[in-house]
Amino acid sequence: DQQNGKITFYVNVFLKGSLVEHSDLIPVDKTRINEIEKVVSRVIAADCRRFIRKMQEDFGVDCIDITKFAQAKWRNELEEEIKEGDFIRNVQIVVNVKTKISDVGQTR
């Protein structure tokens, strides 16, 4: 998205998996699964934001290869900034994570 000359990328991460082993005495019901999904989503999103901040501030390199999407839409406008190497440092990247636990295994 581009507004007022500022480019924002929206990165959506969809995770699907199983809770393979659960040994807590409290059984895993739908409420607990929802809580686990939310926590996993928050942790992964925080890790992604930390990586993106490092990528933009420390490396200054597009490690996730998203520049090509902006080039496809706004090549002429961005050509100079991309050529100078400042492009990835000046964009905003928003990460959203959605987690879905499909199966649960209990050991007790």
Side-chain angles (χ1 to χ4, degrees):
D1 187 29
Q2 184 180 33
Q3 292 182 2
N4 302 325
K6 182 74 173 174
I7 293 179
T8 303
F9 289 100
Y10 297 95
V11 178
N12 296 308
V13 178
F14 299 98
L15 302 173
K16 183 178 178 184
S18 302
L19 179 58
V20 177
E21 184 176 309
H22 175 70
S23 59
D24 197 327
L25 295 175
I26 302 170
V28 178
D29 58 5
K30 185 65 179 163
T31 303
R32 296 260 332 251
I33 289 174
N34 289 338
E35 290 171 4
I36 294 168
E37 289 170 344
K38 288 177 187 174
V39 169
V40 169
S41 293
R42 272 197 310 269
V43 169
I44 298 297
D47 287 347
C48 289
R49 284 191 292 275
R50 211 172 6 263
F51 172 75
I52 288 168
R53 189 170 40 256
K54 189 164 193 69
M55 176 186 83
Q56 289 180 295
E57 295 172 3
D58 295 346
F59 306 145
V61 175
D62 180 5
C63 300
I64 58 176
D65 200 26
I66 59 175
T67 300
K68 63 185 176 188
F69 297 103
Q71 284 179 312
K73 289 183 105 173
W74 307 292
R75 180 173 300 276
N76 294 336
E77 295 173 49
L78 302 173
E79 189 172 356
E80 194 62 33
E81 190 176 5
I82 291 171
K83 198 179 291 183
E84 292 175 7
D86 292 334
F87 176 74
I88 202 65
R89 292 181 189 273
N90 297 324
V91 298
Q92 180 178 6
I93 303 171
V94 177
V95 177
N96 299 304
V97 178
K98 178 75 175 160
T99 303
K100 178 67 180 153
I101 296 176
S102 55
D103 300 302
V104 178
Q106 301 230 168
T107 60
R108 291 183 188 225

